[in-house]
Amino acid sequence: MPALSPGQLDTLCAIAGAAGREVLQVYAQPFESRTKDDGSPVTDADERADRVIRQGLAAAFPGVFVVSEESASQPPRAVETFFLVDPVDGTKEFLLRNGEFTVNIALVEQGEPVAGVVLAPALGQLYWAAREHGAWRRAWSAMPAATTPAAMPLRVSPCGDGPVRVLVSRSHRDPGTDAWLARLPRPYTTVAAGSSLKFCRIAEGAADLYPRFGTTCPWDTAAGHCVLACAGGAVVDLGGRPLRYGARHDDRNPDFLALGDAAWVRLLGA
């Protein structure tokens, strides 16, 4: 599949926006959560957004396989190009009503995320990126607007001499993260954030590193990974190898580091 055109990127953003409106309709009212077989929570927002995204992708990109958290389909054969979708990333943040949840859509080719959209509907923030087009951010509203807000290009911060700004998960802080922080060769500060917004915060230069230990799924990370990579950053495993993605629903990510400046790899010895 050739690189996405600007029009196709706009379509991906529009699909995410349609899903975001479904999510906000649920978010604005009393709702209940249920527990899935894997022990994770799910709400009507996840399922409604999943339907909207699947329908939108099928219409705009016919024949491209879709792997979604809420749809346990397996590819009929080896596929090199597919979408990874998390209709509501950060369901725990959704339940806490802190706004730090996102709609994630990523296009993957040969294991690499080559286009991605991350929408934080409750915060009114839209991030998108694609190979050959860079990474961008603009304000987003669920209400129709006469004009489209201006887009801002994203770029990671260089590796400076000051304290390292480390993002940690708001809902998944673990002993592995604390042990890793204790071994950092530089002074650091920490900021908590939810969902794939952590990748976007590094992409826009607001933080430097995000270490993640424990189970994550490809749909949790691929869209944010693309935004960060297109802004000049990287996502690597603990051996310094780029994170790769497959199309099986039961795939899981290894422990990883999301980095702004590539110089952090040498400093950390990853």
Side-chain angles (χ1 to χ4, degrees):
M1 183 174 178
L4 295 191
S5 68
Q8 289 174 313
L9 270 175
D10 288 344
T11 297
L12 276 187
C13 291
I15 293 170
R21 286 187 283 275
E22 291 289 324
V23 171
L24 289 182
Q25 287 180 13
V26 177
Y27 193 62
Q29 303 173 7
F31 60 83
E32 296 181 352
S33 67
R34 305 178 296 282
T35 302
K36 296 189 291 188
D37 292 341
D38 63 3
S40 63
V42 65
T43 71
D44 288 346
D46 301 80
E47 295 167 349
R48 287 171 57 172
D50 182 65
R51 285 194 294 271
V52 167
I53 293 170
R54 281 188 163 276
Q55 291 169 1
L57 293 178
F61 304 91
V64 181
F65 189 72
V66 178
V67 183
S68 170
E69 178 178 10
E70 304 308 332
S71 306
S73 55
Q74 297 286 12
R77 61 190 181 282
V79 293
E80 294 186 346
T81 301
F82 56 93
F83 285 103
L84 276 171
V85 173
D86 194 343
V88 180
D89 180 36
T91 300
K92 291 183 179 180
E93 317 307 331
F94 185 86
L95 296 174
L96 292 172
R97 294 184 180 276
N98 65 19
E100 292 188 339
F101 54 87
T102 59
V103 176
N104 297 348
I105 305 174
L107 177 65
V108 175
E109 289 186 351
Q110 297 181 338
E112 177 186 357
V114 297
V117 177
V118 176
L119 170 66
L123 302 180
Q125 298 172 350
L126 174 66
Y127 299 83
W128 72 97
R131 184 175 59 194
E132 302 179 11
H133 295 289
W136 302 82
R137 181 193 72 203
R138 66 171 171 82
W140 179 87
S141 174
M143 302 299 294
T147 60
T148 301
M152 174 183 296
L154 303 180
R155 197 68 189 171
V156 299
S157 291
C159 177
D161 297 326
V164 186
R165 299 167 298 168
V166 182
L167 280 165
V168 294
S169 177
R170 190 176 299 283
S171 297
H172 301 280
R173 182 78 175 254
D174 60 275
T177 299
D178 293 330
W180 183 86
L181 288 170
R183 296 192 299 270
L184 269 180
R186 294 263 297 272
Y188 66 87
T189 60
T190 61
V191 179
S195 71
S196 56
L197 283 171
K198 293 183 283 293
F199 298 94
C200 299
R201 298 293 182 245
I202 300 175
E204 63 192 3
D208 300 306
L209 303 173
Y210 164 42
R212 182 56 192 265
F213 302 93
T215 302
T216 58
C217 298
W219 49 75
D220 295 323
T221 59
H225 180 166
C226 183
V227 171
L228 177 54
C230 290
V235 182
V236 300
D237 65 20
L238 300 188
R241 295 173 292 270
L243 211 62
R244 307 286 291 178
Y245 298 94
R248 291 184 56 83
H249 197 271
D250 55 2
D251 285 345
R252 296 295 180 265
N253 295 325
D255 297 341
F256 65 83
L257 303 174
L259 313 166
D261 194 326
W264 291 115
V265 175
R266 296 188 296 274
L267 178 68
L268 300 172

